[in-house]
Amino acid sequence: MSKLGNIGARLYRGEVGYDFIGKRMIWYGVSILITITAIVGLSVRGLNMGIEFSGGAVFTTPKTSVTTEEARHRAESAAGGHQATAQKLGGGALRIQISGLDTKQALPVQEELAKELNVPAKDVNTQLVGPSWGQQIADKAWLGLGIFMVLVVLYLAIAFEWRMALAALIALVHDLTITVGVYALVGFEVTPGTVIGLLTILGYSLYDTVVVFDSLKEASKDITKQSRFTYGEIANRSINGTLVRSINTTVVALLPVAGLLFVGGGVLGAGMLNDISLALFVGLAAGAYSSIFIATPLVADFKGREPQMQALARRVLAKRAASEAKEAGEDGQPATAPADDDSEDAAVVGPRQQPTSRSRGRGGPSGKRR
């Protein structure tokens, strides 16, 4: 842990770092490939909408020895081919969902299902969900998502600037597309729990992005008054400075969600935990990725098109070229500029160093001759 802390401190001070901005085209390509895969999976397989959205009936049976797979086949047979899902509840009971059933069809299916599972028909509890209610849930979810996006863009545009707001919006769409695509590929049922998970991951995704943006905003103050770093280089230093923090917060958030997904959903067979935990797990991972590899590089690209930033980049490159030429012409003399980045920054904005020749024959800070 101390070693990780030392690495984080060195990243924060800029002593070490990875060139995220310089290799941004690689990350753009990876994100485009993953997004295309998600869209293709969504188009080909589609979403497995739960009865809360499509309408249908939910049958809760008493304790039975029938397995979930057998119950699913028997439920589909009893419902005349309607799609059914089954899951185990506490005490050996079963929860069976059959989509597309109306009120007239539910009672015969209840009786047939009780006969198939060898349980009394009066002990099978039936709940009907109309498609209009599911449509209301979908409409409210879309409305909530739209309001959230608008508020996010307005806040980021006011707190930072519109380029950061646009980059954050693209990152959010990226995270949502990947999460929905994974849902389509895996085939998990989309329930209200899924909607809750999707809305939750938007906040987590924005958290990491705002942390990097805040660091970048502080580091880029009065950037045009210096000629040491370009905007892209300062953005890269901001990513490296917050990298360990982003990794730590993401891992801490993913661990309990992984417990919900693999233990609660996989071992215990809790369907609602599957719905919400898969959305959270995929969304958290995608959000941490997009805040580092997508959002901040996009801001660097947007800002790099500004005339002021382009002029700054030319000054920085010209100064470096002049420095290299001067070092090459000093007949092997070492460079007088200190190697530490922070010292170089101070040399740019602070008082110039006095020539070496003026200090000859002087013994101390007061300048008195020996």
Side-chain angles (χ1 to χ4, degrees):
M1 295 299 294
S2 60
K3 186 177 181 180
L4 182 61
N6 291 334
I7 294 175
R10 296 182 66 192
L11 284 169
Y12 180 79
R13 291 193 300 266
E15 296 174 1
V16 295
Y18 183 79
D19 190 8
F20 293 98
I21 303 299
K23 295 180 173 60
R24 62 190 181 279
M25 292 303 173
I26 298 176
W27 315 127
Y28 291 167
V30 171
S31 295
I32 290 173
L33 180 61
I34 296 174
T35 303
I36 291 175
T37 304
I39 293 174
V40 170
L42 184 61
S43 302
V44 174
R45 293 179 59 92
L47 290 174
N48 180 21
M49 306 300 292
I51 64 170
E52 292 87 355
F53 297 100
S54 60
V58 181
F59 302 94
T60 305
T61 71
K63 182 179 180 180
T64 178
S65 60
V66 178
T67 64
T68 55
E69 190 64 22
E70 291 176 350
R72 186 179 66 83
H73 286 298
R74 294 182 183 183
E76 289 179 350
S77 175
H82 287 272
Q83 186 179 7
T85 60
Q87 67 182 80
K88 280 283 187 182
L89 300 177
L94 286 174
R95 184 176 185 268
I96 301 171
Q97 296 183 166
I98 304 178
S99 60
L101 289 184
D102 55 24
T103 305
K104 295 180 180 180
Q105 296 171 316
L107 183 58
V109 170
Q110 177 184 354
E111 296 176 351
E112 186 67 22
L113 187 60
K115 186 185 301 183
E116 291 282 349
L117 299 178
N118 196 24
V119 295
K122 62 182 180 62
D123 293 338
V124 178
N125 183 32
T126 303
Q127 293 179 338
L128 295 174
V129 179
S132 59
W133 186 77
Q135 186 62 41
Q136 291 178 4
I137 294 179
D139 292 342
K140 290 180 179 179
W142 282 111
L143 178 61
L145 180 61
I147 293 174
F148 178 85
M149 292 290 192
V150 171
L151 292 178
V152 163
V153 170
L154 289 176
Y155 169 76
L156 292 178
I158 295 172
F160 299 101
E161 60 172 298
W162 69 267
R163 295 170 187 82
M164 291 184 176
L166 179 59
L169 180 62
I170 294 173
L172 284 177
V173 174
H174 166 272
D175 299 341
L176 284 175
T177 304
I178 291 177
T179 306
V180 173
V182 170
Y183 250 87
L185 293 173
V186 174
F188 276 21
E189 189 178 42
V190 178
T191 65
T194 307
V195 177
I196 295 172
L198 288 175
L199 294 176
T200 303
I201 65 173
L202 298 179
Y204 277 103
S205 176
L206 278 175
Y207 174 77
D208 285 336
T209 302
V210 169
V211 167
V212 181
F213 283 0
D214 186 63
S215 175
L216 178 56
K217 179 182 177 181
E218 291 296 323
S220 60
K221 282 184 178 179
D222 299 327
I223 185 176
T224 56
K225 296 180 180 180
Q226 55 85 46
S227 57
R228 178 67 180 88
F229 298 109
T230 65
Y231 188 90
E233 291 168 342
I234 289 182
N236 195 70
R237 289 165 67 93
S238 298
I239 296 176
N240 281 280
T242 58
L243 182 61
V244 173
R245 177 180 178 180
S246 298
I247 293 175
N248 287 338
T249 54
T250 302
V251 171
V252 169
L254 281 177
L255 287 177
V257 174
L260 286 174
L261 179 60
F262 299 110
V263 178
V267 178
L268 301 180
M272 181 60 75
L273 292 180
N274 275 337
D275 302 337
I276 193 170
S277 59
L278 179 63
L280 288 175
F281 189 85
V282 177
L284 286 174
Y289 171 85
S290 65
S291 64
I292 297 172
F293 298 98
I294 303 298
T296 310
L298 281 175
V299 173
D301 278 337
F302 295 156
K303 292 287 290 186
R305 294 185 175 92
E306 291 184 354
Q308 290 182 338
M309 297 301 119
Q310 292 176 349
L312 172 63
R314 288 193 294 268
R315 291 202 310 270
V316 171
L317 294 178
K319 181 179 179 180
R320 290 176 183 172
S323 178
E324 291 175 359
K326 182 178 179 181
E327 291 178 1
E330 287 181 349
D331 298 329
Q333 291 294 330
T336 58
D340 185 73
D341 287 343
D342 293 335
S343 299
E344 288 180 353
D345 288 343
V348 171
V349 298
R352 295 184 179 180
Q353 296 178 350
Q354 296 296 327
T356 306
S357 59
R358 295 184 180 179
S359 62
R360 292 177 182 176
R362 299 182 184 271
S366 60
K368 295 181 179 179
R369 296 182 182 271
R370 296 180 179 177

